[in-house]
Amino acid sequence: MEAVSAPVIRELSKHATTDSPDARPWRYFSAIVALIAVIPLLAVIYVAFFPTENIWPHLWSTVLPRYLEATFFLMLGVGLLATFFGVTSAWLVAFYRFPGRKLFSWALLLPFAVPAYVIAYVYTDLLEYSGPVQALLREWFGWRTPRDYWFPQIRSLGGAIIMFSLVLYPYIYLTCRAALMEQSDSLLMASRSLGAGALRTFYRIVLPIIRPALAVGLALVLMETLNDFGTVSFFAVQTLTAGLYDTWLNLGNVGGAAQIAALMVGIALALLYLERASRHKSKSYQSGGRTRPLTPTQLTGKSAYIASAFCFLLVFFGFLVPASVLGYYSIEYFDVSWNSEFFHLAMNSLKLATIAAALLVVVGALLAYSQRIAPSALNKSMARLASVGYAMPGAVLAIGVIVPLGALDNSIDGVARDYFNTSTGLIFSGTIAAIIYAYSARFLAISLGSAESGLGRITPSMDQAARTLGHSSLSILTKVHIPLLSRSMLTAAIIVFVDVLKELPATLILRPFNFETLATYLYQYASDELLEHSALAALFIVATGIIPVILLNRASTAKQY
Amino acid sequence: MPKKTASVFKAALLSTFCLTPLAAQAAEEVNVYSYRQEFLIQPLLDTFTSQTNIKVNVVFAKEGVAERLKREGANSPADLVLSTDIGQLQELTDAKVLQPVKSDVLNANIPEQYQAQDDSWFGLTARARVIYASKERTEVKSISYEDLAKPEWKGRICTRSGKHPYNIALFASMIAHHGEAKTEEWLRGLKENLARKPQGNDRAQVKAIKDGICDVSLGNSYYYGLMLTDENQIEWARAVNLIFPNQNDRGSHVNISGVALTKSSPNKANAIKLMEFLTEKLAQKMYSENNYEYPIKPGVEPSGLVLSWGEFKRDELPLYKAGELREKAVKMVDKVDFDG
């Protein structure tokens, strides 16, 4: 969700205040944060190139082509299907009036609240051979065994593509809807007055307009797809992420895992480039002043129903079905699941989410602030570097965190032994500090983006006024900016909080022994086909996920240009 | 920020600094990393504590113990690792995080076949990798692992992932008996015969037999007992017969759960006491009563339910050999794309 909340700030250096004497520490601060944020990435690449045991030939001759192929087709399928869902729904909501449009305009975002692995567990439960759907069919038609009829396997590449598309299309819906809403009426009027039909208008006018926005949304969808571990491991789809786990935990080979991770870094960077480049473009595409806001066309008859049905089905399958199944199980098995263990899990999850959100809000705000106090090209690139983590899959970051922290712990311990004759033991490894580090690297972009857009709304003249009154930058920060920034930072905190709550891949690898969160607990139980016992945990994650959806919807519709 | 939130933040921050889960050295205690589940292990440890006054701190893990011990190095607080299979013991051996234990009690209680050659790990319980066969749709009374690759089973077999330690240990034992080339051929044949892509756990395969998805499956013996005593799963178990494979030749493949002493053990003497306790009659009996496994100490009777499945002939292959071939087996599963 991060990117949606982070439009790139305008070049503040245009209004650059003259460099104040206290600019330097701010620059150092940016550089240090950027360094800490990219260490995991560098560590992965280092271990990949200098592994202790080279497993590359085995990987390359057996599983790697398979992992790559599965990853490629998964991303291709999800890209196409999510684009179809997202662009169509954005186009309908932006340009037409049909029954329920107002409701759908925000309800279409609800599937955002459902993590891909959760929706995968629910549909498997419903659609597998022993589930209610097939049982009913067997009853109706008198079938006895699986050999009597054909039913698609939900646990397959195709199944995974549908699952991801159902919960990820909102990225595309959101970016495209924003792009379409910004258009003036004149374009469409022109197109219509020249007698082009709706479809032709769509291809000739709408698609070119939304292409950059679509690329941004698509890049985010594909990043999330690459990041997922829960769904692909459950469906036995052998993607790179699944392979990374396998190499690490079955072959016990960190070097090999890091080599797979390095490949994933390559893919992630390509997606990041796609997103950044398109974002840049979408800025320059916008027509200057708006002449007249869009007036949506009223659909009538059959086409109105089709439009309503299309939007309804997305919300139905992407949110209503999973939420009701989880709700039903939670009530049904309430006595089994509502116990001290559940509280314990929830507390663990909340603890991690709170720490990460608090830390990132502070770091993100300071980093954005550094851009303002000490604007320079170098400082700007530091901020970009610091936020590269959101493109990186959680599993990749986990390896990148484990390796340097282990080295750090052992070197601190070595120094302590040499000089003070005591052992410091392990300070970071295997503690929640390691998990928080991975979360911070992954989600810093969210708080940074929010802080940047929040600061963008505070004009430099306010700063100058405060300066003339003799305030230092620190007191400007506390007296002027923080009060003004608090709203966008709260939004960032909530989004980070929820993202941490549902994060699975890094949490699984890095959590201390005997430390389960709602997400890891759900993963273990659902893998053992006991979804009903962990439905309460899933429902909790989904319910909290609705909060940022509401906020995002507000932010994206209330934008005044 | 309102006061209340501030105090939440404060509490959260404080809790990050109190992160030491185990005190490395205290008076009378032992620290255990356990792959085995709490319901099974905790009663045993409580009994040990009540007999010896030695406190046992335990952390339960699903994976990555060897990885963690490697990273903790000389600073690890752990004394013992409890494993659920030979593969994990081999992983610990490969990671060089274990030390040998010289104990007459352990050597007397645990047969050679179930010990490391250098005494760095010891088996505690045994379980057979058996074949569950549909009562309704099969007539088999005796069957071998080799038979599962024959064409008559096409589209009729279910199993969990080939990468799972229980399957890896079985495949490694096949390599030990037949060599790599023949085992690979067998593995391809087995894959050909699968009714569906490997998925779920051992019990889910029995459920699939009950549902009619397949007719036979591979699974550990104790799951039969666990399913028969679980009201939600008893129907699954009743749909199948438990068959011990290869009774006409080498015997069924047996895997072990085991215990090992870490190289960095800070409470070595107490740790060895606990190891010995786990191989004695009382603990061996508890294992069988609670989890339907076979005791390893000679002369200890398994639980009544386990006895009711009958005597069976075990494969005599020393388990360390299956351990050594583990990596070959894993790579073979990759090569034939067993899970694909």
Side-chain angles (χ1 to χ4, degrees):
Chain A
M1 301 206 177
E2 47 268 28
V4 186
S5 56
V8 179
I9 44 160
R10 289 176 214 95
E11 264 288 29
L12 278 164
S13 46
K14 279 184 220 149
H15 326 273
T17 46
T18 44
D19 241 15
S20 50
D22 50 8
R24 190 167 291 175
W26 288 102
R27 287 202 181 122
Y28 287 143
F29 174 81
S30 302
I32 289 165
V33 170
L35 180 68
I36 293 173
V38 293
I39 279 177
L41 220 57
L42 301 176
V44 162
I45 291 162
Y46 176 81
V47 177
F49 280 98
F50 306 99
T52 39
E53 177 204 354
N54 192 6
I55 193 170
W56 193 247
H58 164 75
L59 289 176
W60 198 233
S61 65
T62 54
V63 286
L64 213 49
R66 228 173 281 149
Y67 296 156
L68 276 167
E69 191 188 338
T71 305
F72 173 78
F73 282 112
L74 181 68
M75 287 168 90
L76 182 74
V78 173
L80 290 171
L81 195 57
T83 299
F84 170 67
F85 288 165
V87 171
T88 313
S89 53
W91 174 55
L92 290 172
V93 168
F95 284 1
Y96 297 102
R97 276 210 201 93
F98 51 90
R101 170 184 179 245
K102 218 175 159 58
L103 171 74
F104 288 130
S105 81
W106 64 267
L108 279 164
L109 291 170
L110 281 173
F112 246 155
V114 187
Y117 58 91
V118 171
I119 203 173
Y121 296 148
V122 169
Y123 279 108
T124 303
D125 198 72
L126 285 177
L127 298 175
E128 66 183 355
Y129 182 83
S130 52
V133 174
Q134 289 200 53
L136 203 64
L137 288 173
R138 284 197 293 278
E139 212 166 300
W140 280 348
F141 295 101
W143 293 324
R144 300 273 326 270
T145 72
R147 294 167 197 65
D148 293 345
Y149 66 103
W150 182 86
F151 194 86
Q153 279 279 347
I154 171 84
R155 290 197 193 190
S156 61
L157 180 64
I161 288 172
I162 295 171
M163 296 299 110
F164 283 119
S165 303
L166 277 176
V167 294
L168 296 177
Y169 81 83
Y171 279 116
I172 294 175
Y173 165 73
L174 203 61
T175 52
C176 293
R177 184 184 68 172
L180 290 171
M181 292 273 193
E182 277 163 15
Q183 296 315 311
S184 73
D185 225 12
S186 44
L187 257 180
L188 294 178
M189 301 273 277
S191 170
R192 276 187 218 123
S193 63
L194 291 170
L199 276 181
R200 183 143 180 214
T201 306
F202 180 81
Y203 280 108
R204 302 297 296 273
I205 310 279
V206 176
L207 266 188
I209 287 173
I210 61 168
R211 196 179 305 144
L214 170 62
V216 172
L218 187 61
L220 295 168
V221 166
L222 295 178
M223 284 174 196
E224 287 296 328
T225 307
L226 184 67
N227 176 46
D228 171 86
F229 172 70
T231 313
V232 293
S233 84
F234 192 59
F235 280 9
V237 176
Q238 298 176 305
T239 59
L240 286 163
T241 311
L244 188 156
Y245 269 79
D246 190 65
T247 307
W248 195 347
L249 298 169
N250 272 320
L251 289 169
N253 192 313
V254 178
Q259 288 172 331
I260 294 177
L263 258 184
M264 291 166 77
V265 168
I267 298 175
L269 289 176
L271 292 172
L272 195 66
Y273 175 77
L274 170 76
E275 186 230 359
R276 290 262 160 93
S278 313
R279 203 170 267 197
H280 204 66
K281 255 209 194 101
S282 66
K283 288 282 160 216
S284 58
Y285 257 95
Q286 281 161 23
S287 42
R290 286 177 62 165
T291 43
R292 257 176 48 197
L294 271 177
T295 38
T297 319
Q298 181 71 47
L299 288 176
T300 50
K302 207 159 59 167
S303 48
Y305 285 115
I306 291 174
S308 295
F310 184 87
C311 296
F312 173 75
L313 287 178
L314 284 182
V315 180
F316 180 74
F317 287 117
F319 180 79
L320 293 176
V321 170
S324 354
V325 169
L326 293 174
Y328 169 77
Y329 277 148
S330 300
I331 294 165
E332 213 43 25
Y333 289 82
F334 192 74
D335 300 333
V336 186
S337 31
W338 184 254
N339 51 27
S340 60
E341 190 183 15
F342 178 80
F343 280 104
H344 190 70
L345 296 166
M347 280 318 292
N348 282 347
S349 280
L350 296 176
K351 181 159 102 179
L352 289 178
T354 309
I355 296 170
L359 180 72
L360 285 184
V361 160
V362 173
V363 175
L366 290 174
L367 198 57
Y369 206 69
S370 156
Q371 307 295 303
R372 190 182 178 100
I373 298 280
S376 75
L378 184 67
N379 200 354
K380 193 176 166 183
S381 56
M382 285 298 151
R384 293 290 133 261
L385 201 58
S387 56
V388 88
Y390 78 88
M392 297 302 145
V396 173
L397 286 173
I399 290 201
V401 162
I402 272 190
V403 173
L405 284 189
L408 180 68
D409 277 343
N410 286 321
S411 52
I412 293 175
D413 186 65
V415 168
R417 279 169 197 254
D418 290 349
Y419 289 85
F420 311 106
N421 241 337
T422 66
S423 162
T424 55
L426 300 159
I427 303 166
F428 304 110
S429 302
T431 67
I432 63 174
I435 300 195
I436 297 287
Y437 185 10
Y439 290 158
S440 305
R442 187 158 156 74
F443 301 130
L444 178 59
I446 302 174
S447 60
L448 175 64
S450 280
E452 281 176 344
S453 61
L455 272 177
R457 283 195 293 271
I458 301 169
T459 59
S461 53
M462 293 186 195
D463 292 18
Q464 276 151 3
R467 252 181 222 293
T468 13
L469 293 169
H471 286 277
S472 70
S473 23
L474 200 65
S475 90
I476 295 176
L477 176 71
T478 51
K479 297 219 165 69
V480 182
H481 294 172
I482 288 186
L484 287 168
L485 272 179
S486 54
R487 234 191 87 187
S488 56
M489 291 329 286
L490 185 69
T491 307
I494 290 170
I495 294 173
V496 171
F497 187 92
V498 172
D499 272 347
V500 166
L501 217 54
K502 60 185 190 186
E503 207 285 339
L504 185 63
T507 315
L508 264 182
I509 294 183
L510 293 173
R511 81 204 134 110
F513 283 177
N514 255 7
F515 186 93
E516 297 279 348
T517 67
L518 290 168
T520 60
Y521 171 86
L522 173 62
Y523 163 78
Q524 317 264 17
Y525 265 70
S527 312
D528 285 342
E529 333 248 335
L530 288 167
L531 175 65
E532 50 276 46
H533 290 257
S534 52
L536 198 61
L539 193 66
F540 189 88
I541 293 173
V542 171
T544 11
I546 294 176
I547 304 166
V549 166
I550 295 167
L551 289 173
L552 276 178
N553 186 55
R554 264 202 215 143
S556 72
T557 45
K559 255 189 209 143
Q560 294 300 324
Y561 282 89
Chain B
M1 198 188 295
K3 248 203 179 109
K4 207 165 162 190
T5 356
S7 66
V8 169
F9 279 134
K10 235 185 242 162
L13 283 171
L14 273 176
S15 63
T16 26
F17 294 112
C18 314
L19 288 173
T20 33
L22 298 172
Q25 248 166 325
E28 291 292 305
E29 50 180 29
V30 180
N31 301 320
V32 178
Y33 285 176
S34 175
Y35 275 119
R36 304 227 64 185
Q37 291 172 15
E38 194 165 359
F39 84 92
L40 182 64
I41 295 301
Q42 206 56 56
L44 286 160
L45 300 180
D46 291 345
T47 311
F48 174 74
T49 303
S50 66
Q51 284 185 3
T52 59
N53 273 331
I54 298 169
K55 187 168 163 243
V56 185
N57 307 303
V58 57
V59 279
F60 297 93
K62 286 247 177 346
E63 58 220 356
V65 171
E67 182 60 40
R68 178 159 180 168
L69 286 169
K70 241 193 313 198
R71 262 182 290 130
E72 290 176 343
N75 295 309
S76 178
D79 296 296
L80 294 180
V81 180
L82 287 169
S83 88
T84 55
D85 100 307
I86 178 66
Q88 292 161 347
L89 295 168
Q90 185 64 39
E91 201 180 5
L92 294 162
T93 306
D94 293 344
K96 301 189 174 59
V97 292
L98 302 181
Q99 60 171 311
V101 178
K102 297 287 172 241
S103 152
D104 295 340
V105 179
L106 292 177
N107 282 327
N109 287 343
I110 308 297
E112 271 307 294
Q113 189 192 347
Y114 301 121
Q115 289 186 26
Q117 282 178 291
D118 64 352
D119 290 331
S120 63
W121 52 256
F122 295 83
L124 292 174
T125 62
R127 63 288 286 279
R129 190 89 181 135
V130 299
I131 289 173
Y132 292 109
S134 163
K135 283 179 182 169
E136 217 180 293
R137 296 181 301 278
T138 62
E139 297 286 309
V140 267
K141 291 281 170 282
S142 88
I143 191 170
S144 70
Y145 300 114
E146 290 77 4
D147 289 342
L148 294 178
K150 289 181 177 163
E152 71 209 56
W153 293 108
K154 189 154 183 64
R156 298 173 68 190
I157 303 174
C158 280
T159 173
R160 78 192 310 167
S161 161
K163 284 282 182 75
H164 192 278
Y166 300 157
N167 276 340
I168 291 294
L170 170 65
F171 301 160
S173 81
M174 295 291 283
I175 296 174
H177 289 296
H178 299 300
E180 274 188 82
K182 259 188 98 167
T183 304
E184 188 179 318
E185 200 182 315
W186 171 79
L187 199 60
R188 286 184 197 280
L190 178 60
K191 187 196 167 183
E192 278 302 296
N193 287 345
L194 293 179
R196 60 175 186 183
K197 259 203 318 194
Q199 55 189 252
N201 55 16
D202 276 356
R203 284 187 246 198
Q205 313 311 317
V206 176
K207 177 173 174 243
I209 294 178
K210 181 200 152 264
D211 289 339
I213 294 172
C214 40
D215 299 341
V216 296
S217 76
L218 280 166
N220 284 353
S221 52
Y222 54 85
Y223 287 119
Y224 201 47
L226 290 171
M227 288 185 291
L228 285 167
T229 50
D230 178 326
E231 55 178 69
N232 297 318
Q233 298 173 356
I234 189 161
E235 285 308 309
W236 311 353
R238 286 190 177 148
V240 296
N241 290 315
L242 180 156
I243 304 174
F244 292 107
N246 297 65
Q247 292 305 290
N248 303 330
D249 46 54
R250 67 177 181 273
S252 303
H253 162 71
V254 167
N255 199 336
I256 52 169
S257 78
V259 64
L261 182 70
T262 66
K263 200 185 268 180
S264 60
S265 170
N267 311 293
K268 193 169 162 179
N270 288 341
I272 293 174
K273 270 189 203 151
L274 176 53
M275 285 174 97
E276 290 173 346
F277 166 84
L278 292 173
T279 65
E280 296 289 14
K281 187 170 175 180
L282 173 67
Q284 289 283 300
K285 194 82 191 156
M286 280 171 87
Y287 267 126
S288 189
E289 296 293 342
N290 295 342
N291 204 41
Y292 311 105
E293 292 179 72
Y294 292 93
I296 278 192
K297 181 181 160 74
V300 181
E301 286 259 292
S303 86
L305 182 57
V306 177
L307 275 177
S308 71
W309 307 334
E311 287 286 307
F312 74 101
K313 184 178 172 192
R314 300 180 183 191
D315 185 347
E316 299 284 316
L317 181 81
L319 270 190
Y320 73 83
K321 289 200 169 148
E324 285 170 352
L325 291 165
R326 168 175 164 265
E327 195 164 329
K328 277 201 166 68
V330 171
K331 287 186 173 174
M332 192 180 288
V333 169
D334 275 348
K335 196 170 161 192
V336 309
D337 191 16
F338 189 82
D339 287 353

